[in-house]
Amino acid sequence: MSERDLTDGFHLVVEALKRNGIDTIFAVAGIPITDLLRLAQAEGIRTFTFRHESSAGNAAAIAGFLTRKPGLCMTVSAPGFLNGMVALANATTNCFPMILMSGSSDRAIVDLEQGDYEELDQLNAARPYAKAAYRINRPQDIGIGIARAIRAALSGRPGGVYLDLTAEVLGSALDAETGRKSLVTVVDPAPPQPPAPASVARALDLLASALRPLAILGKGAAYARAEAEIRSFLEAAGIPFLPMSMAKGLLPDDHPLSAAAARSFAIGNADVVMLVGARLNWLLSHGRPPLWSEATRFVQVDISPTEIDSNRAIEAPLVGDIKSAFAALNAARKPGGIKRQAVWLDEIDKRKRQNIERMAARLNADPSPMNFSSALRAVRNALAGHPEVTIVNEGANTLDFARNIIDMPLPRRRLDSGTWGVMGIGMGYAIGAAAVTGKPVVAIEGDSAFGFSGMEIETICRYGLPVVTVVFNNNGVYRGDPQGLPYSPTGLIRGARYDKIIEAFGGAGYHAEDTPTLTSAVSEALASGKPALINAVIDPTAGTESGHIGSLNPQSALAQKK
Ligand code: ADP
Ligand code: TPW
């Protein structure tokens, strides 16, 4: 056989990816995947290489959420793999489709623990944190292995899949014809899954009995791209809605049916709640008092059958995909079957107005130094007229205030710390979003949060991505230390100039101590379409411990007794 009739693992992986429309890789290079990345790039797959695998993984995860194709991250063995695992676990937790493909060392040596270069039993290490985990041991299995990974990531509830590629498989030769025949094109990995008609009827009956209905929209609904169907249903039935943070913009935040500004009132007083791609987890206080009433009855629309009854009894489960479920609800709904509850809607409106008025004083104040509200108002003013911008947001106070102050007009434009409340997603999500949307990103970052992935500023500059990072610099985790003390566990260096970091890589740095400077910096940076970082100086006394979730800090039983 001549050499021309041979292929190898590297080529088969690249061919399998291309055949399945995976056109972007997020990675950190090294043994044994460097040549794989080179080949992928040469074959037209966009390849973004990072400074740390967590960020590469986060970029892949958010690309998966935004494109409904599995985001692909490639890492080297053992330590690179483990760095990427944090992102894979986070993707699984958030129901984002992602594949982490790692090179791995010699199986015979790893299994006898004989101390190979970067030795680790990666497959078993990945299993507990992934939706699925597979290893490809033979070059002729590459096609099927990648097909399984794609299908596992996308089908049902999306999640993170680990795919182990031994160095040996990558380098192995196979005759080209056998290789070509072994490749698989995945057909329809996430088909429509309409709920049963009886479930639809049951849900409609329960909603028709409600005097105070409420829909809670979660990021599963954003992922499902079901905004048109959801909107027609809620508008026709007059059901108010609350968006979870990454579902903001699914219906615009200024929609008259939005109950966001009356959140606790709406949750506490609703008699029937329709959960739409939102889990009743800690972010919704598990559906328990005091936020919730024990009398509330539930409809839940979710693709995962075992999500139902996880925290509260669900009277009307709608197991299926959200787009099909709402199409079915719209089709089965009888005109006037669910009556518009004017008293309830008026009550919500009254609360909204009161709360907005109460917030207005704080929002319009212009203290010096800036606080979270005033700085976010300044950012918001610069964002007006830029609905295409994706907002990435992490931190504690920076996250909580931004979620409330920055309205989202369009779906899937707000990406944040998500289900785990994780720090470190910032630059990875920003790069992933810029890479797949081709549109500008504004990352609103607490200074501590930024530090977790800050070196990716170099990555942003290297690829010239339109990412504007605003660091809310209050010299600390949650807040800054008072002057004169040694640094406390939450303190960070005082007077840091984060803007200098981006200047080191040729990007534009800005320093803003007041709101007009901050607004013009964001506007100018956005208009340039180039990488920028704005160091926004925030009053070190402005934040509160853990932001809005301070109550989750354990309290000492001893201290309480005193
Ligand atoms: P949030 O944090 O916004 O409340 P969660 O991540 O808790 O949202 O919930 C998302 C839910 O959406 C998960 O339970 C997941 O199973 C579900 N989901 C994801 N995609 C779909 C889909 N296409 N159709 C129906 N449910 C979906
Ligand atoms: C991976 C714990 C929650 S919020 C936060 C930390 C370290 C930073 C808050 O300070 P920041 O924001 O970013 O300056 P702000 O607006 O309050 O000033 N490690 C991980 N995830 C989490 N959530 C933590 C630690 C934490």
Side-chain angles (χ1 to χ4, degrees), residues 372 394-399 420-424 445-450 452 472 474 476-479 492 543-544 546-547:
F372 291 96
E394 60 177 338
N397 296 278
T398 306
L399 178 81
W420 261 351
V422 67
M423 298 300 114
E445 300 274 310
D447 50 349
S448 161
F450 173 71
F452 286 74
F472 274 45
N474 63 353
V477 175
Y478 314 133
R479 52 199 293 148
L492 293 172
T544 53
S546 302

Side-chain angles (χ1 to χ4, degrees), residues 31-33 53 73-85 88 100-107 110-111 113 116-130 132-136 161-167 170:
I31 297 172
I33 61 157
E53 291 86 352
C73 174
M74 282 192 193
T75 75
V76 304
S77 13
F81 155 79
L82 284 174
N83 283 344
M85 270 314 295
L88 191 77
L100 175 67
M101 225 186 241
S102 292
S104 62
S105 314
D106 190 310
R107 293 251 32 90
V110 172
D111 288 349
E113 297 181 14
D116 202 4
Y117 168 69
E118 296 193 340
E119 174 180 298
L120 183 74
D121 182 0
Q122 294 171 192
L123 183 63
N124 281 313
R127 269 194 215 290
Y129 308 106
Y134 309 109
R135 176 164 51 230
I136 299 174
V161 177
Y162 176 60
L163 190 59
D164 195 278
L165 279 176
T166 63
L170 286 172

Side-chain angles (χ1 to χ4, degrees), residues 18 35 54 66 78 105 108 125 141 183 213 235 238 290 339 355 376 429 440 545:
K18 281 171 67 175
D35 273 348
S54 260
L66 292 170
S105 314
D141 293 336
L183 296 180
E235 285 179 349
K339 293 199 178 54
N355 289 343
L376 283 161
Y429 280 11
E545 177 109 344

Side-chain angles (χ1 to χ4, degrees), residues 143 408 538:
M408 303 308 299
I538 306 291

Side-chain angles (χ1 to χ4, degrees), residues 459-472:
T459 312
I460 291 169
C461 290
R462 185 159 26 101
Y463 292 103
L465 296 170
V467 175
V468 180
T469 303
V470 188
V471 177
F472 274 45

Side-chain angles (χ1 to χ4, degrees), residues 1 11 52-53 84 96-97 112 117 144 146 150 190 205 233 245 253 268 303 361 425-427 448-449 469 501 514 535:
M1 197 178 336
H11 285 86
H52 192 284
E53 291 86 352
F96 298 158
L112 276 174
Y117 168 69
I144 232 44
I146 289 178
I150 292 171
D205 283 348
F233 184 73
S245 131
D253 275 329
I303 194 111
I425 48 85
M427 297 300 99
S448 161
T469 303
I501 296 179
D514 56 43
N535 182 56

